Amino acid sequence: MKRIALLGATGSIGRQALEVVAAHPDLALCALASATSPLDELAAAHEVQEVQVGGDLVELLERAEPDLVLNAVVGFAGVPGTLWALDSGVDLALANKESLVAAGELALAAWSRGGARLLPVDSEHSAVFQCLEGRARDSVHSLVLTASGGPFRGRTREQLEHVSVDDALAHPTWSMGPKNTVDSATLANKGLELIEAHYLFGLPYEAIEIVVEPTSTVHGVVRFRDGAALAHVGFPDMRVPISYALTYPERRPTPVPPLDLVGLTLAFDPPDVDTFPLLSVAREAGERGGTYPCAFNAANEVAVTAFLAGRLPFLAIAELVARALGEVDGAPARDFEDLVAADAAARRAAEGALQPA
Ligand code: NDP
Ligand code: MG
């Protein structure tokens, strides 16, 4: 029996994970966490002992003693759960991309101390992870992460001046929580994923390319030094990477139908970084290193929250993030306290730049 602690049980990933766990008698939930949503019904339905709404996720994890943590919390709030699992040598199925982006080197150090598995749930990273399995790292030439392009693919900046929150939340291929959906519309999501891939797979930024593939059928590609490239393809359905991470190294059945290639048309384009500058801003933050990625994430969280609340126009999200990054020092974090301080400084810079609506 594999005992799983599910952090973020009430979200988009969390609900799909509950479905995956329920399909396998040898998977059990030992803990559930949310921020504010009640968990009583889920706890009763899935017979979970340890539940926690809000509060310190590390305390919950220490009480629950899981075999695996599925971190499906959204935002920087996911960092303590990620660091706890990595440091404690407990397998981590990681959906919360923000924690690897923000914690970066600290997370890698904890991972090497703890020595357990880090199984990516983000679909592109799960794809690359699967293409890399069993291959020597020095045989890899480069990675390609695909982007759907989001709901505003093909639009000009002028056409984006007055887009609404509902427009940004209408994602063409993936059904996700609001933060991730807005990040997909600005391409900040792909920026976060670029930094996530850098830390997960230990490759320099110049060896990680982003291309737009509007159907979200090709999730990731690994190019090898012999000229071969392996791609991972499939329907855009998060139950596949969730199931893979929870049942690794097996490949259990899911309700997702087999891919039919007939009638499928694939086209790949470079991302439009003039219209969606956050991808370039993220790449630059990643390359500068230190706590710049943490600051990128923090400023982006503030900007997305403001956009969702109607306090910031869509195009101002990127401007706010770039401005906040110009105001922080990006000094490397020696410990979690430093990281919390860097996160807070970037939030203050972003909030200071917010104009009243
Ligand atoms: P949602 O907004 O749908 O869900 C977020 C979950 O996190 C909720 O259960 C929420 O609880 C919980 N949560 C937030 N803050 C805390 C906290 N401080 N303590 C405990 N729980 C907390 O997000 P998604 O499911 O879409 O995304 C989750 C993560 O997975 C994100 O990092 C996202 O980038 C990543 N991801 C998501 C994908 C998707 O398809 N959805 C795809 C790839 C990655 P409450 O209900 O109380 O607010
Ligand atoms: Mg993704």
Side-chain angles (χ1 to χ4, degrees), residues 217-238:
T217 306
V218 179
H219 303 302
V221 178
V222 179
R223 299 191 192 97
F224 293 91
R225 64 183 174 192
D226 63 356
L230 295 184
H232 180 290
V233 300
F235 286 114
D237 190 317
M238 287 307 295

Side-chain angles (χ1 to χ4, degrees), residues 8 10-13 34-37 72 95 97-98 122 176-177 180 238:
T10 47
S12 164
I13 294 286
S34 69
T36 56
S37 302
K97 64 192 81 184
E98 296 95 338
D122 212 343
M176 308 176 291
N180 208 25
M238 287 307 295

Side-chain angles (χ1 to χ4, degrees), residues 104-193:
E105 305 292 340
L106 285 183
L108 294 187
W111 187 14
S112 84
R113 279 194 301 274
R117 287 175 177 141
L118 204 181
L119 300 157
V121 171
D122 212 343
S123 57
E124 298 78 2
H125 305 73
S126 176
V128 167
F129 178 84
Q130 292 176 52
C131 293
L132 283 172
E133 260 177 289
R135 324 269 159 190
R137 202 45 60 97
D138 66 357
S139 68
V140 175
H141 172 270
S142 54
L143 309 181
V144 183
L145 304 179
T146 52
S148 69
F152 302 141
R153 181 178 58 87
R155 304 243 191 133
T156 62
R157 287 186 71 78
E158 270 159 26
Q159 290 168 327
L160 293 178
E161 259 167 32
H162 302 294
V163 291
S164 68
V165 170
D166 284 347
D167 295 333
L169 289 180
H171 197 279
T173 53
W174 293 101
S175 162
M176 308 176 291
K179 198 265 178 177
N180 208 25
T181 309
V182 174
D183 284 349
S184 298
T186 61
L187 288 195
N189 181 51
K190 225 36 67 173
L192 293 168
E193 292 185 0

Side-chain angles (χ1 to χ4, degrees), residues 76 79 97-105 290-291 293-294 297 339 343:
F76 187 82
V79 172
K97 64 192 81 184
E98 296 95 338
S99 57
L100 206 53
V101 171
E105 305 292 340
T291 48
C294 176
N297 175 66
L339 201 63
D343 173 79

Side-chain angles (χ1 to χ4, degrees), residues 195-251:
I195 300 171
E196 182 186 16
H198 164 77
Y199 287 120
L200 262 177
F201 304 118
L203 286 170
Y205 286 98
E206 59 267 24
I208 310 172
E209 186 187 358
I210 308 293
V211 299
V212 174
E213 191 282 280
T215 71
S216 300
T217 306
V218 179
H219 303 302
V221 178
V222 179
R223 299 191 192 97
F224 293 91
R225 64 183 174 192
D226 63 356
L230 295 184
H232 180 290
V233 300
F235 286 114
D237 190 317
M238 287 307 295
R239 291 174 299 182
V240 176
I242 293 169
S243 175
Y244 192 70
L246 296 186
T247 67
Y248 181 84
E250 289 180 53
R251 206 178 266 287

